[in-house]
Amino acid sequence: MSYGTGTRNRRPNYAQLHARPLPLITTPLPAFIPHNPLSLIRILHALLLPYIAPPPSHPAPRYQAYFSPATRSVHVTDPAAVRALWESGFFGKGSLSRSEPTWLEGEKRRRGLGAEVTSEEVTAKRRRERVEFKRERARLEREAVEEQLRKEKIAANGGAVDELVEKVAALEVTEVNGSAQAGESPETVEDPVEVVVEASDLKAEAAADPETAPAPSVQDVDIHLVNQEHLQLSLEEAFFLTYALGVLDVQLPSSSSPTLPTNASYLHLFRTHSRFPPSATLTPTDPFLLRYAVYHHFRALGWVVRDGVKFASDFLLYERGPVFKHAAFAVMVLPSFTHEYWFEDPLGVKERRRVEGERGGRDWVWLHCVNRVQTAVVKTLVIAYVDVPPPGEEVDDVGDVLGRYKVREFCLSRWSPNRNRG
Amino acid sequence: MADITVAEPFPIFAVANKYILYDINTVTYIRRVHHICGVLIGNIPQAAQQNVFSGIPLELIPEEARLLVERGSAYIVDDVASHRRGLTDLSAAERIAFVSVLEKQGLEAALAQKRKADKKREKHFEKAGGKARKRGPDREDTELESASASYAVSRAASVVPNDSDVQPLCITPTTSYPPLSAPKPTTALLPPASPSYDLFAHLHSKDYFLSPGLRFGCQYLAYPGDPLRFHSHFLANGVAWDQEISLLNIVAGGRLGTGVKKGYLVGGKDDSRDEVRVFCFEWAAM
Amino acid sequence: MPPPSSEAGDDDGSPPPSPALSPRGTSSTPSLPAPSADVDLTDEVQDFRFLTSLIDSETAQKLPSRGTKDFEPHGTRAQDAALAASRAAMHAALSLARVHPRGGQRAEWDGKDGAWVDKPGGFWVRSVGRVVRVPIADSDSDSDSEDQPSDTMPTKPKSPRKPKTEARTHLHPEEALWLLERGSLDIHWPPAPGEAPFTGLPMSLQGGYAAFLGEVLSLEVFTVYQYLKRAGYTVLRAGENEGSVPVYKAAAGNPLSVLFARLWTALFAPQPAHDPTTNTSIGPAPTDPTAPRVTYHVYKPLPGFKKTSPGPPDFYVSVINARESCFPSERQLDGLLAQTPYHPPTGVTNLYLRLKKGYRDVVLAVVDQGVAWSMAIWTS
């Protein structure tokens, strides 16, 4: 499959675009074919090459990003880095887009420069159609109710309905219909969201018509159009790229030293900002540590892990990526306390109670709410318990700190006695 | 039924910390007048092996029972103690009288059943006779068939409902208060108020019918009218005024509500102004 | 799991229409194509006018899968009439008395929990009740007819005789109450002192609830029991059926291949913090009364079920009171799952099927005036 050169709406070849699961370059061992001695030579070559002339596995200059305390996230602005991070592993989110950074494309289309259709526009079109449909349905319903009311009024007043009354009724019906249509405009005024959609629809419709809109030269566009969007990485994603993969450098806002911070200082910074307002005291129950443990766990197993707030969960798990198939699992992170410190030490008990009371106390109503949301969008809920270690020495070895956390998953699905009979 | 009324205050029976009603008249009455639906938890004897419809008894959540007691329309009876006391207090004569009443009811029920079976049989024979009369012009067959049809009709006619050989059926009465004496009204017992009781009472005062909504991911479902006829409008959750609500919970509720065309409602009592405020959330995606 | 249709492939913000509700209004309005999820009829209160479709096939109206409810009151008399008709149908349907033919089984309340059955018979005996040997009340003053002395034998000195026992059928409170509600059993209060058994007053439904609900049986547990029985399953108490839970036996393989597999996993496979294969035994019920436990062993309604040797259960159900407990902690969930059998998903290669099957699973029945069912599966 190749890129559509003539038609603009051909879908890009996602398998080719997203061939790499992570922003690292790996050289797989060639296949061993027993009856072909040449394959053995190829394998030896591949095995010995890393010792003689190692091929690069990491991007040559590491990707640059900066930490933004206002948004508690890490921003990437270099276009090459943005593309690379999105395409190999689906890291981050476009700050002005729904997920993939497509603001520039959308802006070009809005100005009539003939860029590809973005997913936001497709969705907007679908929503417009749905709103139209709903409006039509509501109008028919209203008419049916008014018809019924009118009939009952006649029955109450009259008794026998003679021809004259029927004619009047027929006239009334048309009048009612007319008034129903006229009555629509006050309805739309009352509904500001719909009006806004309509206004922007018209603009988009006009701009989307490539034949009628003038096409300024591409060079003019490059001068005037600056990409206002940046790629926003969550703290877990940034730490994974920095610590686990080593492909990202994060600039801190207030640091003036030329040397970059160590992984330990990143950890300290992210832990501080995982609560709002940022707290100086660090505890083993910091939300960043719990979330990162689960993020790292699932990334290590090969899942593409993305934020799940859209579906009221902590993370979403994709097998290959959001462009291939919808997420199959929604992960909820729950802290789990098994060490005796959390039950015997008064400080530990207080901290445990505070954490367990978060999110409304994990009662069954909350669980069924989340479970029903997931069922409606065809995802399975996964509860990931993170075993929290007691507070120990604050060491600089990040691996040591993280290694004390243990993750365990349970799947929760709806069950029906009627469907499971026999 | 517009004309069923029950004397107020009526008893609500407390068994094992649950509040239960057994009298169908009371159930219908509180639905119509007090807008309390409760949940039917019993079996329907005529359709026992299904879960779509349930029957008497009706369980009230503590909020509903408390609301009725606070209005003065009902009072709580400790059913276990009442039974224990009542059964020992019954005299032998009362027992015999009750048993004979049950026998009479059983006999009536048996007769009614028999009459229904007879009617069914008659209809069946009539249909068979009618079919015979409609049949073709072949004379031999017609004679045979008409003979058999007339025999069938005459047989049906000759089965005179003979009531003497009908065995009375056993009846399991629904309520205990014909044999036991009705307990006296008392205001001693009041169901406990849950943290979301203020929201419940507030929504109820605005003429919403409320029913528990655990399966739908909320505390209560609020209906604009009788749940038999209307869809619910809100998924209601009660919270304390100063309680922190996690944003993820609001996202979940908003998403859930909008997906099923209901509003996600959160409400609580503002003690400083002594009024209940409610807020609704709706999902509006980018 | 088929993904919802989306042209651009990303998760859409707007959710698809839920199948739980019917489209607003009457059937004359156009409706969107429905998604293919199952519709659970027990989710909503159904109109009692459709009850006849279940009992009387002659006047049957087909139970509509989505109901004909309205969105809001609009003051028409047609709507009021429909509501009055529904309410009347409900009143009529619930006013019928429970009757059963005379001469059927009868039982008597045993004073604390459960009931003794007089002459067990009928379809329900196959799956309900248990036989208990009970000493006969007047075994002390045994008449000589019990003994059969042989004339030829010399008279022996009278040894202390074992009390004579008889086999009687005993019902647990949930079983007794369920049978009473069905109208299959006539239960009596204990007789007045000096009277013969089974001559006490017949128990009403209200009396049944007062007698059988209490410390031993809560209404939540009874609701779940009743729901499962009405759906047709056979339900046994977990505490009495522990012997039927199957114990896992690892399939014996070629020792060389087992060694190689162990070496391979030790060297190359990621080491999970919790290896589900380490603990394959069945754990005991938790001692803490507030911890969740397996309440019932449930069997599908297949022929050939024997009460005395039921076999491995099909489902393990834990009844949870929604108002009085929170979502369990890891330790509690682990303890709960330990009471269910270990079944590794061997031989299943499809990732989703492996995750669906898991290593252990339990059915959670969360009750708050109506049951919400879910299944918790330990995947890894």
Side-chain angles (χ1 to χ4, degrees):
Chain A
M1 236 164 53
S2 59
Y3 279 94
T5 42
T7 54
R8 283 191 201 93
N9 293 337
R10 181 74 62 85
R11 279 176 67 170
N13 184 351
Y14 289 124
Q16 210 174 50
L17 261 184
H18 302 283
R20 277 201 236 132
L22 289 175
L24 296 171
I25 304 165
T26 53
T27 18
L29 271 181
F32 175 54
I33 305 165
H35 56 267
N36 185 355
L38 278 177
S39 69
L40 204 56
I41 298 175
R42 284 178 62 199
I43 290 175
L44 278 173
H45 174 260
L47 277 176
L48 292 173
L49 201 59
Y51 299 101
I52 306 169
S57 60
H58 287 60
R62 287 152 69 122
Y63 302 127
Q64 299 298 314
Y66 64 91
F67 173 73
S68 156
T71 57
R72 288 156 69 210
S73 59
V74 171
H75 296 183
V76 183
T77 42
D78 174 34
V82 167
R83 280 300 341 144
L85 285 175
W86 172 260
E87 283 173 5
S88 33
F90 299 99
F91 290 94
K93 172 195 176 298
S95 59
L96 295 174
S97 317
R98 203 165 60 214
S99 58
E100 182 177 353
T102 54
W103 181 83
L104 195 62
E105 301 284 313
E107 189 63 16
K108 283 184 190 162
R109 271 184 67 79
R110 277 189 285 275
R111 297 189 187 200
L113 302 172
E116 310 233 339
V117 179
T118 61
S119 64
E120 280 88 351
E121 285 163 5
V122 167
T123 317
K125 180 159 171 279
R126 193 170 61 235
R127 284 192 190 146
R128 275 199 307 276
E129 286 166 8
R130 215 184 136 74
V131 161
E132 248 333 291
F133 167 80
K134 278 188 186 166
R135 210 178 287 164
E136 178 66 24
R137 189 174 64 185
R139 187 181 69 82
L140 284 171
E141 266 179 39
R142 212 172 29 243
E143 282 175 19
V145 171
E146 281 164 9
E147 172 77 21
Q148 179 70 22
L149 276 171
R150 205 188 42 78
K151 264 196 223 153
E152 284 175 3
K153 220 182 287 181
I154 291 177
N157 292 341
V161 182
D162 60 359
E163 288 182 21
L164 211 68
V165 177
E166 269 183 322
K167 280 194 194 143
V168 170
L171 283 174
E172 271 191 48
V173 166
T174 49
E175 265 176 24
V176 165
N177 274 342
S179 68
Q181 291 207 2
E184 278 205 28
S185 31
E187 293 270 338
T188 50
V189 166
E190 278 164 18
D191 204 344
V193 174
E194 294 188 14
V195 169
V196 166
V197 165
E198 278 190 6
S200 63
D201 289 348
L202 291 171
K203 256 200 338 197
E205 300 268 14
D209 201 349
E211 281 97 19
T212 54
S217 63
V218 179
Q219 282 152 349
D220 290 340
V221 166
D222 280 344
I223 294 167
H224 295 295
L225 203 54
V226 176
N227 195 353
Q228 306 280 343
E229 187 180 43
H230 57 262
L231 187 74
Q232 195 174 18
L233 296 171
S234 69
L235 296 180
E236 295 87 36
E237 289 173 329
F239 195 70
F240 183 76
L241 289 167
T242 315
Y243 162 70
L245 296 185
V247 300
L248 189 70
D249 281 336
V250 180
Q251 311 276 355
L252 300 185
S254 54
S255 75
S256 48
S257 67
T259 56
L260 283 168
T262 56
N263 282 330
S265 43
Y266 282 135
L267 184 62
H268 185 97
L269 176 73
F270 293 158
R271 280 174 76 176
T272 312
H273 278 88
S274 62
R275 288 187 216 275
F276 189 78
S279 75
T281 50
L282 302 178
T283 64
T285 55
D286 284 333
F288 175 75
L289 283 171
L290 301 177
R291 286 174 60 106
Y292 184 72
V294 177
Y295 185 90
H296 190 117
H297 170 82
F298 283 111
R299 274 281 181 189
L301 288 173
W303 295 94
V304 171
V305 186
R306 291 181 56 74
D307 189 67
V309 72
K310 225 169 24 174
F311 295 99
S313 60
D314 284 304
F315 296 113
L316 292 173
L317 298 182
Y318 295 84
E319 210 180 332
R320 275 178 84 187
V323 298
F324 295 105
K325 214 164 107 165
H326 288 279
F329 298 98
V331 180
M332 191 67 88
V333 176
L334 290 182
S336 157
F337 300 96
T338 49
H339 197 271
E340 61 211 13
Y341 167 81
W342 303 108
F343 295 92
E344 281 157 29
D345 189 302
L347 284 176
V349 170
K350 188 163 157 233
E351 179 65 16
R352 175 176 61 88
R353 290 229 177 97
R354 188 192 65 79
V355 171
E356 280 177 351
E358 274 173 4
R359 287 192 188 173
R362 303 193 319 196
D363 64 345
W364 287 102
V365 173
W366 158 82
L367 181 81
H368 282 116
C369 183
V370 172
N371 210 1
R372 247 190 128 99
V373 169
Q374 305 312 331
T375 314
V377 291
V378 198
K379 295 186 200 323
T380 306
L381 182 65
V382 172
I383 309 268
Y385 282 106
V386 183
D387 187 54
V388 183
E393 285 208 24
E394 283 300 324
V395 291
D396 271 349
D397 185 357
V398 175
D400 187 54
V401 171
L402 291 174
R404 301 182 206 156
Y405 288 82
K406 302 192 190 327
V407 178
R408 187 169 174 185
E409 314 114 44
F410 294 89
C411 268
L412 207 70
S413 58
R414 282 185 79 184
W415 187 80
S416 164
N418 304 315
R419 256 185 281 140
N420 284 282
R421 282 191 57 172
Chain B
M1 312 271 283
D3 40 20
I4 292 197
T5 50
V6 163
E8 288 191 2
F10 51 83
I12 298 179
F13 302 99
V15 181
N17 298 326
K18 301 280 183 275
Y19 303 95
I20 304 185
L21 289 172
Y22 298 93
D23 181 24
I24 178 64
N25 292 331
T26 315
V27 168
T28 309
Y29 174 73
I30 61 173
R31 197 180 192 106
R32 195 185 79 243
V33 172
H34 291 288
H35 294 184
I36 300 259
C37 297
V39 171
L40 292 165
I41 58 171
N43 225 339
I44 294 199
Q46 59 267 41
Q49 292 292 117
Q50 48 83 29
N51 274 305
V52 181
F53 293 99
S54 300
I56 294 283
L58 183 87
E59 187 191 342
L60 298 174
I61 53 177
E63 288 89 332
E64 291 171 330
R66 189 186 172 95
L67 192 86
L68 286 171
V69 172
E70 279 184 348
R71 279 185 173 188
S73 311
Y75 60 98
I76 308 291
V77 174
D78 181 351
D79 215 14
V80 177
S82 174
H83 271 84
R84 203 175 294 142
R85 207 178 34 239
L87 285 170
T88 45
D89 285 350
L90 270 185
S91 67
E94 282 172 328
R95 281 177 207 252
I96 296 173
F98 179 62
V99 170
S100 65
V101 162
L102 279 187
E103 283 258 349
K104 207 165 76 124
Q105 280 179 358
L107 193 63
E108 281 171 13
L111 285 174
Q113 224 180 45
K114 188 166 179 299
R115 288 212 183 81
K116 204 164 132 192
D118 287 345
K119 232 196 276 182
K120 242 194 192 167
R121 235 197 335 246
E122 269 179 33
K123 240 203 291 191
H124 181 76
F125 279 130
E126 269 178 28
K127 257 201 234 166
K131 271 200 214 144
R133 261 175 255 127
K134 276 194 209 146
R135 247 332 126 83
D138 200 344
R139 287 180 70 200
E140 294 169 358
D141 286 339
T142 335
E143 279 176 16
L144 248 161
E145 277 160 6
S146 62
S148 68
S150 58
Y151 167 72
V153 169
S154 63
R155 199 169 154 252
S158 69
V159 173
V160 175
N162 186 1
D163 292 345
S164 57
D165 57 356
V166 167
Q167 280 291 327
L169 297 170
C170 272
I171 291 213
T172 307
T174 314
T175 64
S176 293
Y177 286 92
L180 303 183
S181 49
K184 305 257 183 321
T186 164
T187 50
L189 293 169
L190 186 65
S194 68
S196 48
Y197 178 71
D198 291 318
L199 176 70
F200 182 92
H202 175 79
L203 287 175
H204 189 266
S205 67
K206 302 280 179 203
D207 281 339
Y208 282 97
F209 285 66
L210 293 158
S211 82
L214 172 75
R215 281 192 291 173
F216 304 97
C218 61
Q219 284 185 335
Y220 312 111
L221 285 175
Y223 294 83
D226 196 322
L228 279 176
R229 198 68 226 138
F230 300 101
H231 289 303
S232 55
H233 278 186
F234 298 109
L235 308 170
N237 286 282
V239 294
W241 191 247
D242 292 320
Q243 183 180 335
E244 270 189 23
I245 306 174
S246 159
L247 275 177
L248 262 189
N249 288 2
I250 296 183
V251 169
R255 181 128 204 179
L256 178 70
T258 310
V260 296
K261 295 186 223 125
K262 302 186 209 293
Y264 181 70
L265 186 151
V266 169
K269 185 159 184 196
D270 183 4
D271 282 317
S272 61
R273 282 191 274 188
D274 201 27
E275 60 170 355
V276 177
R277 307 273 310 276
V278 294
F279 304 92
C280 248
F281 295 92
E282 194 185 310
W283 179 258
M286 181 178 146
Chain C
M1 277 174 258
S5 62
S6 158
E7 290 178 14
D10 193 1
D11 279 310
D12 185 7
S14 65
S18 157
L21 271 200
S22 66
R24 290 159 56 159
T26 59
S27 53
S28 60
T29 56
S31 55
L32 289 173
S36 57
D38 287 0
V39 175
D40 191 357
L41 289 173
T42 61
D43 264 358
E44 286 186 17
V45 177
Q46 295 291 336
D47 195 336
F48 272 77
R49 289 180 288 177
F50 299 110
L51 179 59
T52 48
S53 72
L54 291 172
I55 38 179
D56 191 0
S57 54
E58 287 179 6
T59 59
Q61 287 171 278
K62 185 145 182 345
L63 194 65
S65 67
R66 283 159 151 240
T68 53
K69 294 191 186 176
D70 297 325
F71 183 71
E72 60 186 356
H74 30 72
T76 57
R77 232 171 289 148
Q79 200 181 54
D80 292 340
L83 174 60
S86 300
R87 280 180 173 165
M90 187 172 109
H91 186 98
L94 301 184
S95 306
L96 294 178
R98 290 169 169 76
V99 294
H100 52 272
R102 192 164 285 261
Q105 298 87 45
R106 51 187 191 164
E108 189 177 273
W109 184 43
D110 69 359
K112 34 183 184 54
D113 57 346
W116 295 106
V117 184
D118 185 21
K119 288 186 278 288
F123 78 98
W124 52 264
V125 181
R126 274 180 274 144
S127 53
V128 163
R130 64 216 40 78
V131 175
V132 174
R133 296 216 74 91
V134 175
I136 301 180
D138 53 349
S139 60
D140 290 343
S141 57
D142 232 347
S143 60
D144 287 341
S145 58
E146 300 286 345
D147 274 323
Q148 291 187 8
S150 163
D151 288 325
T152 57
M153 273 173 65
T155 51
K156 294 189 297 196
K158 279 213 172 135
S159 50
R161 212 177 286 120
K162 270 191 291 211
K164 294 281 181 189
T165 58
E166 58 172 353
R168 293 189 67 191
T169 305
H170 183 260
L171 296 174
H172 281 313
E174 62 265 25
E175 297 167 335
L177 191 53
W178 175 68
L179 287 172
L180 179 70
E181 268 205 319
R182 274 185 65 99
S184 310
L185 193 63
D186 209 10
I187 305 191
H188 294 261
W189 293 102
E195 304 245 351
F198 302 107
T199 55
L201 271 184
M203 207 182 251
S204 64
L205 185 67
Q206 183 168 2
Y209 272 82
F212 295 119
L213 287 185
E215 289 289 320
V216 178
L217 178 70
S218 66
L219 187 57
E220 284 82 21
V221 173
F222 181 65
T223 307
V224 172
Y225 179 86
Q226 203 187 41
Y227 195 104
L228 289 170
K229 291 300 284 186
R230 280 153 74 170
Y233 294 96
T234 304
V235 184
L236 299 179
R237 278 193 183 178
E240 295 171 355
N241 200 29
E242 278 167 358
S244 306
V245 180
V247 179
Y248 176 68
K249 278 195 187 46
N254 186 0
L256 208 62
S257 62
V258 168
L259 185 66
F260 180 73
R262 278 215 204 113
L263 200 67
W264 185 266
T265 47
L267 285 176
F268 300 118
Q271 297 296 317
H274 286 275
D275 191 0
T277 56
T278 47
N279 180 15
T280 64
S281 57
I282 311 282
T287 46
D288 178 19
T290 57
R293 69 193 57 237
V294 174
T295 318
Y296 285 124
H297 291 170
V298 177
Y299 294 83
K300 290 185 191 170
L302 299 170
F305 175 80
K306 280 206 200 63
K307 257 193 305 188
T308 44
S309 61
D314 291 305
F315 304 112
Y316 298 81
V317 174
S318 169
V319 179
I320 295 174
N321 185 338
R323 284 192 181 222
E324 291 171 11
S325 65
C326 295
F327 191 72
S329 67
E330 185 191 346
R331 211 187 252 171
Q332 287 177 330
L333 200 51
D334 198 25
L336 174 63
L337 281 169
Q339 298 167 48
T340 63
Y342 172 81
H343 51 76
T346 48
V348 182
T349 45
N350 183 333
L351 172 72
Y352 289 109
L353 287 179
R354 276 184 78 97
L355 291 172
K356 204 166 146 188
K357 210 170 155 236
Y359 289 87
R360 291 184 195 242
D361 57 73
V362 75
V363 174
L364 302 174
V366 187
V367 188
D368 180 20
Q369 282 210 329
V371 196
W373 300 93
S374 35
M375 179 173 259
I377 307 162
W378 185 16
T379 50
S380 58

